[in-house]
Amino acid sequence: MIDRSPIVETAMRIVRESEHFLTPELEDKIKLSLYSLTSSLLSHNKILASSESQNSSANSCLVDSREALEKTESLFMEEGISLNAIRHIQRLCSLTNAPLPPPGAALVSNRSGLFQMVKVSDRKWTHDEDDRLLVAVSLFGYDNWSKISQFVGSGRSRAHCLQRWIRTLNPFISSEPWSQEEDNMLSKNVDQFGEHSWITVASKMGNRTDLQCKYRYGQLTNMIHGPISSRDQIESPTIKIGTISDLSSSLTANLTNGISPNLSTENIGNWHGFELVSLMNSLKLTGKVQKPLPVP
């Protein structure tokens, strides 16, 4: 099990919603008690699901889980806190290892009035699937999505489970401003996994969604290098012109497309200076000139 238990965090949300004020000391005390309860219940149920369910380990875990339950209930009653959070943990930890069976084929009517199959990726997640995903992450951690998807069942793949966790279910997702430590971790993960693996990057962050990571990395890149303009990515063409009509047509075509051309002043000796100045001013030319235009 991971140190930061998602099951405990969801239980703490229930406690916070029912209590108007919790001192930091009391909150830490409650969280520690709930974590002990969750660990003992998961360990007990894990042994029951194995072939060793009748040995002394199972009996020992049963005793531990009962003691943890009694202590936690006693603490909650002393503080006048509802037992809903405890019941929430008991319900989740009682889930069996048997995955949910794949649902039957679902048909929906499209705009043409014809029926078509519903893809697994388009099917909404149920409460049962979310519960199993929450427990699976608590059991297997953030890196074993094959086991997590097997535990969930219901035809959900590794990618389905990871995306659901990253974007919706993870109770540790933060909406607080990014810290320097998070920025450093984000940059390190992007260097390792690339700029097109945001779900993987987010899973390594642990408390940010893939969309948060992508947006924040864009901000960091702009702060370092400045925004990238699409116009900067287009190489300005060099226009070689010999007559005033060549200049007019070339400048008009390029400026219409939003490109500031470079000018090469070959065979320009026969032009009149006022013609060039007048034309450039009328077009409001902002392009680069490779060398000063000679005035005849």
Side-chain angles (χ1 to χ4, degrees), residues 179-286:
S179 66
Q180 184 62 52
E181 182 181 358
E182 286 180 305
D183 285 342
N184 294 339
M185 185 184 301
L186 175 63
S187 298
K188 180 180 179 181
N189 287 329
V190 173
D191 289 342
Q192 181 177 355
F193 301 106
E195 297 183 26
H196 301 288
S197 303
W198 295 112
I199 290 182
T200 302
V201 170
S203 69
K204 299 300 180 182
M205 295 295 297
N207 65 333
R208 298 289 184 176
T209 69
D210 56 331
L211 300 180
Q212 284 178 313
C213 292
K214 182 178 181 180
Y215 180 74
R216 180 57 178 174
Y217 188 75
Q219 288 182 317
L220 295 177
T221 302
N222 287 342
M223 284 190 286
I224 297 174
H225 303 292
I228 299 176
S229 171
S230 59
R231 184 173 298 182
D232 294 337
Q233 300 174 0
I234 303 175
E235 183 178 355
S236 297
T238 297
I239 302 174
K240 294 184 179 181
I241 43 185
T243 66
I244 196 69
S245 60
D246 292 336
L247 175 64
S248 176
S249 60
S250 297
L251 289 180
T252 302
N254 283 281
L255 290 175
T256 300
N257 293 325
I259 302 174
S260 298
N262 298 317
L263 300 180
S264 177
T265 56
E266 296 179 2
N267 302 321
I268 202 170
N270 295 327
W271 297 355
H272 296 289
F274 74 90
E275 291 178 304
L276 292 174
V277 173
S278 175
L279 179 61
M280 293 173 72
N281 286 339
S282 64
L283 293 173
K284 297 181 180 179
L285 178 63
T286 59

Side-chain angles (χ1 to χ4, degrees), residues 67-128:
E67 289 180 354
L69 178 60
E70 290 175 359
K71 289 181 180 179
T72 306
E73 287 181 338
S74 176
L75 171 62
F76 273 54
M77 288 186 288
E78 287 177 4
E79 299 295 338
I81 301 174
S82 169
L83 301 181
N84 289 339
I86 297 177
R87 303 297 175 248
H88 169 76
I89 290 177
Q90 287 180 296
R91 180 179 60 81
L92 291 177
C93 293
S94 65
L95 296 179
T96 67
N97 287 343
L100 295 172
L107 298 176
V108 294
S109 177
N110 58 24
R111 293 181 178 179
S112 302
L114 302 176
F115 287 97
Q116 60 186 23
M117 298 290 294
V118 178
K119 297 179 180 179
V120 175
S121 57
D122 296 333
R123 179 164 46 85
K124 291 184 178 180
W125 280 71
T126 65
H127 291 300
D128 289 340

